[in-house]
Amino acid sequence: AQKITQTQPGMFVQEKEAVTLDCTYDTSDQSYGLFWYKQPSSGEMIFLIYQGSYDEQNATEGRYSLNFQKARKSANLVISASQLGDSAMYFCAMRVISGGSNYKLTFGKGTLLTVNP
Amino acid sequence: GAGVSQTPSNKVTEKGKYVELRCDPISGHTALYWYRQSLGQGPEFLIYFQGTGAADDSGLPNDRFFAVRPEGSVSTLKIQRTERGDSAVYLCASSSGASGRTGELFFGEGSRLTVL
C-alpha cells in the first residue's frame, strides 16, 4: 500500500519569497509517479507538477519545482516568488505505475499555504 | 464545456434519503474517477471507469454507494439511505487514459454533500 505524509498543516510566506512544502511517501514499488495539486477555495484540484521515479532531473514548471530525493522518499514542492494567488491547499499524491492499479492516486492530507502581502 | 462539470455544487439532504451526484467529464476523456474528500483530509479513491464499465470500484465504502456511466461519458454517483458520515465533497475527475507520461487527472469543483 502507498502512503503520503504531509507534516505541515499550515504554512505562511511573504509575497515574493520562496516556500517549500514537505512531502514524504512510502511504497515498495520501484516505478511510481509523484504529483502536486493545488486546491483553491473553489474546490477544484489543479495539477501543478509531476515527477517520475526514474526521472533523473527534478521537475520544474514555471515557478514550481519538485525537490525529489529518492533515497529519502521525499518530494518537496518549492514555489518561488510567491504570489497572493498562491494561497490555497496543496496536496501531494502518488501513483504506482507498475501493476494493475496504475490509475489510482493516493493523496496526503494537504498543507494550507497563506501568502501574506 | 472546457472542464469537468459537477452538479449539484451543493446538496443538503436528510438522513435516510437518496441522492444522485452527476459528473460531466472533459469531452473525449475515456477514464473517469470519483473521489471523496472529507473535512481536513485529502481525496480518497472511490471508483474508476474506463469507458462504460467500472474497472475498479474497490473504494466504494459499502453497498449504499453505486455509480454508473451508461454511455461512456456522463457519470452518476448514487447514494442510498444516506448517513451523516456520508457528508463530504465528492470530486469527479477525468483523464485521456490510465497510462501515459503523467496520467494527470483533471478535476471538477466537486459536489458538497451535507447529510443532516
Side-chain angles (χ1 to χ4, degrees), chain A residues 35 37 39 42-45 47 50-52 55 91 95 101-110, chain B residues 33 35 37 40-43 45 48 55-56 58 91 98-105 107-109:
Chain A
F35 299 77
Y37 279 84
Q39 188 177 44
S42 63
E44 183 181 358
M45 301 281 283
F47 167 74
Y50 170 85
Q51 179 84 41
D55 292 344
F91 290 95
R95 177 174 68 92
S101 299
N102 61 351
Y103 47 83
K104 194 181 295 188
L105 282 180
T106 299
F107 287 85
K109 290 188 175 183
Chain B
Y33 315 77
Y35 282 76
Q37 187 175 16
Q41 304 294 318
F45 171 81
Y48 158 60
D56 184 350
S58 63
L91 294 165
S99 55
R101 163 71 181 138
T102 70
E104 69 184 87
L105 305 188
F107 284 85
E109 293 189 348

Side-chain angles (χ1 to χ4, degrees), chain A residues 29-74:
Chain A
D29 290 274
Q30 298 300 310
S31 182
Y32 51 87
L34 296 156
F35 299 77
W36 278 91
Y37 279 84
K38 172 184 178 182
Q39 188 177 44
S41 56
S42 63
E44 183 181 358
M45 301 281 283
I46 301 167
F47 167 74
L48 296 178
I49 196 167
Y50 170 85
Q51 179 84 41
S53 58
Y54 290 114
D55 292 344
E56 294 185 353
Q57 302 217 341
N58 286 346
T60 60
E61 291 286 349
R63 294 186 298 110
Y64 304 108
S65 60
L66 200 152
N67 184 359
F68 181 47
Q69 298 190 37
K70 195 170 181 177
R72 295 184 177 183
K73 292 190 174 180
S74 74

